[in-house]
Amino acid sequence: MKLTEKEERMLKGDMGRGVQCAMEVLVKMGELYGAEEFVEVKNAHIDAAAYTTIWDAGTEFVEFLVENGARVAVPTTINPMSVDRRNWRNLGTSEEFAAKCDRLENAYMKLGVNPTWTCAPYQCTNVPMFGESVAWSESNAVDYVNSVVGARTERLPDLVDVCCAVAGRVPKYGRYLDENRKGELLFELEGFDDAWFQDNVDYAVLGYLAGEIAINRVPVIKGLPQRTTQDNLKSFSAAAASGGAVSLFHVVGITPEAPTLEAALQGTTDYETIKITPDRMREMRRRLNTGDKEQVDMVLTGCPHLSVDEIGQIAKEIEGKKVCEGTDFWIQTSHPIYELAKMAGYVDVLEGAGAVLVRDSCLMEMEYNGMWTGKHFVTNSGKAAQYAPAINSVKITMADLKGCVKAAVTGKVPEEV
Ligand code: F3S
């Protein structure tokens, strides 16, 4: 790789062993991907926050960087940790595990991250500008920031994200390059009336389907309604990045690199077209639904972390009702969004109804202790539908937001599923 004078000095150790180590990792990675140079980034988002993803070895690596003088070089947000620090005892986390999470959290605080602890940093503080290069990991956030914001990042691996934050740069490869941002296959929506795409769950199912087919290609979606919101695209992003490995998509007439189909495809005429019909969506949803009983043990929302608007919608739906005994209702978000929801009066309504607001963490990143094995979850998240069965050995039924609230209140699968 061709390095600038400053990069040579970083690599030589002039800025300390921590920065040098980060640069050694990044140069190796750049060579691996055939990058010719680095690109400076304006900000970073670290995925490697959960103890369950990087364990002791990852913790030691972050501590090593800190002890050797490294600090983040650009504003850096961070993903959920493996523990809700305000309520971990009630959520089944052991003392020993919580202590390990504390150790990792302390290391990151010393490194200088903004303690957002969320997988949706774009609804908190970290909103890049169109065209800007950033160094993000966390698959939903990568997909969202590339596609909905039009900033540029690759799907960076855990701990490489930390090195990028410390070095303030990333090897220029993949989605940082214009030619790797063009649409590669077209999903054409056909036969949907206005009842469709009113709720995030349809975006999650469509995202999962697109991800499964596209794998790591760039899908272009044509036919989504103009009323599509950021929260809808958040659901789509998360599902597309877990149904496959999508890191960039375009929605014609909605996302910034797709004002037209031609723009999304960068003029290419050689592409595959896939028709998406209501029947195909129903079939995908049936495949995601693995639940085989009427009783619901857990309603899980907030994968990715909920926005204040989404929390408000749940509060409105559940006001005056109570969560059924024997059913848990988790609402996962970050503490900044929790504080907004508290000020808006939503938290009192939700907690009064018996829902649990999980802050700065999520079930799939928490200590695995088998307490959910074999349980039946209802969720509106395509990502949770993929991860929770794999990580927590649970069965899933997908529902829209109203259906989730109904399931929480009755303890039963909502009728419309
Ligand atoms: Fe976020 Fe956890 Fe889902 S990190 S995207 S809530 S698996």
Side-chain angles (χ1 to χ4, degrees):
M1 284 178 82
K2 192 165 159 274
L3 304 188
T4 63
E5 195 195 321
K6 183 177 175 187
E7 286 159 359
E8 291 284 7
R9 285 196 287 119
M10 290 163 85
L11 189 60
K12 244 175 60 201
D14 288 2
M15 289 160 204
R17 176 69 190 120
V19 173
Q20 182 186 32
C21 174
M23 281 300 278
E24 285 168 355
V25 170
L26 295 177
V27 168
K28 281 262 179 277
M29 184 182 159
E31 286 167 359
L32 193 69
Y33 282 101
E36 289 173 7
E37 58 183 351
F38 280 110
V39 56
E40 289 190 35
V41 294
K42 289 276 182 65
N43 65 56
H45 177 75
I46 293 173
D47 178 76
Y51 177 70
T52 50
T53 56
I54 61 168
W55 305 100
D56 286 342
T59 305
E60 284 164 21
F61 180 69
V62 180
E63 287 175 341
F64 168 83
L65 292 177
V66 169
E67 282 158 15
N68 286 281
R71 297 294 180 270
V72 295
V74 290
T76 301
T77 49
I78 189 154
N79 235 37
M81 54 181 112
S82 288
V83 71
D84 176 344
R85 292 181 70 244
R86 296 162 191 85
N87 194 23
W88 56 271
R89 283 191 176 82
N90 292 327
L91 300 181
T93 302
S94 69
E95 197 94 34
E96 188 195 352
F97 185 87
K100 286 177 184 287
C101 297
D102 266 3
R103 179 178 158 194
L104 180 58
E105 184 189 353
N106 287 336
Y108 274 124
M109 293 311 298
K110 286 184 190 149
L111 196 70
V113 305
N114 291 327
T116 48
W117 311 113
T118 184
C119 48
Y122 44 82
Q123 56 191 25
C124 240
T125 165
N126 201 353
V127 187
M129 288 191 286
F130 177 79
E132 198 166 82
S133 291
V134 299
W136 282 31
S137 51
E138 162 53 49
S139 61
N140 99 79
V142 165
D143 210 7
Y144 185 97
V145 83
N146 264 328
S147 316
V148 183
V149 179
R152 295 181 173 209
T153 185
E154 250 302 327
R155 200 169 144 134
L156 299 168
D158 278 16
L159 297 175
V160 167
D161 50 7
V162 179
C163 294
C164 291
V166 162
R169 52 211 359 97
V170 62
K172 195 171 182 181
Y173 75 107
R175 303 281 180 243
Y176 293 102
L177 303 168
D178 288 345
E179 62 268 29
N180 295 327
R181 298 185 66 85
K182 70 166 178 281
E184 295 174 288
L185 74 170
L186 175 65
F187 289 85
E188 221 163 22
L189 272 53
E190 211 174 72
F192 292 94
D193 62 25
D194 202 45
W196 285 88
F197 299 105
Q198 295 282 351
D199 187 277
N200 282 343
V201 76
D202 288 340
Y203 288 85
V205 173
L206 179 64
Y208 201 96
L209 183 55
E212 235 187 21
I213 297 168
I215 318 273
N216 60 357
R217 290 176 289 171
V218 180
V220 178
I221 319 296
K222 191 172 159 221
L224 278 176
Q226 277 301 316
R227 59 178 153 73
T228 295
T229 64
Q230 290 179 347
D231 283 333
N232 296 153
L233 293 178
K234 176 178 68 172
S235 296
F236 181 97
S237 298
S242 42
V246 171
S247 59
L248 168 66
F249 63 87
H250 302 298
V251 184
V252 177
I254 293 178
T255 57
E257 287 171 71
T260 61
L261 178 59
E262 292 68 35
L265 295 162
Q266 292 184 12
T268 274
T269 50
D270 179 24
Y271 57 88
E272 190 186 346
T273 300
I274 292 150
K275 300 270 183 218
I276 302 293
T277 60
D279 277 349
R280 198 146 186 198
M281 287 280 286
R282 286 187 201 100
E283 194 265 332
M284 181 70 251
R285 189 157 162 178
R286 267 195 299 276
R287 277 201 287 128
L288 288 171
N289 284 347
T290 50
D292 52 7
K293 59 180 184 180
E294 206 194 358
Q295 196 212 319
V296 174
D297 302 301
M298 159 72 100
V299 177
L300 185 68
T301 62
C303 174
H305 277 175
L306 294 182
S307 68
V308 72
D309 290 336
E310 290 170 310
I311 295 175
Q313 286 166 34
I314 299 175
K316 204 168 135 207
E317 250 345 281
I318 208 167
E319 192 153 21
K321 301 172 191 143
K322 288 270 178 214
V323 174
C324 177
E325 219 184 303
T327 303
D328 286 280
F329 185 15
W330 281 23
I331 295 167
Q332 302 177 152
T333 192
S334 62
H335 63 273
I337 297 294
Y338 175 94
E339 292 304 329
L340 281 178
K342 176 105 186 140
M343 288 176 81
Y346 304 147
V347 170
D348 289 347
V349 171
L350 294 164
E351 290 184 338
V356 177
L357 276 110
V358 176
R359 277 167 281 178
D360 301 341
S361 187
C362 81
L363 185 122
M364 277 81 81
E365 305 281 20
M366 287 181 184
E367 182 178 23
Y368 180 74
N369 53 20
M371 69 185 276
W372 299 106
T373 303
K375 302 285 186 192
H376 182 201
F377 281 28
V378 166
T379 186
N380 58 355
S381 161
K383 180 165 178 177
Q386 157 79 12
Y387 276 46
I391 296 174
N392 306 92
S393 308
V394 302
K395 302 225 167 161
I396 289 285
T397 298
M398 301 276 297
D400 63 12
L401 197 125
K402 284 186 179 176
C404 285
V405 172
K406 214 177 267 179
V409 168
T410 61
K412 295 198 165 55
V413 172
E415 290 141 23
E416 57 270 26
V417 170

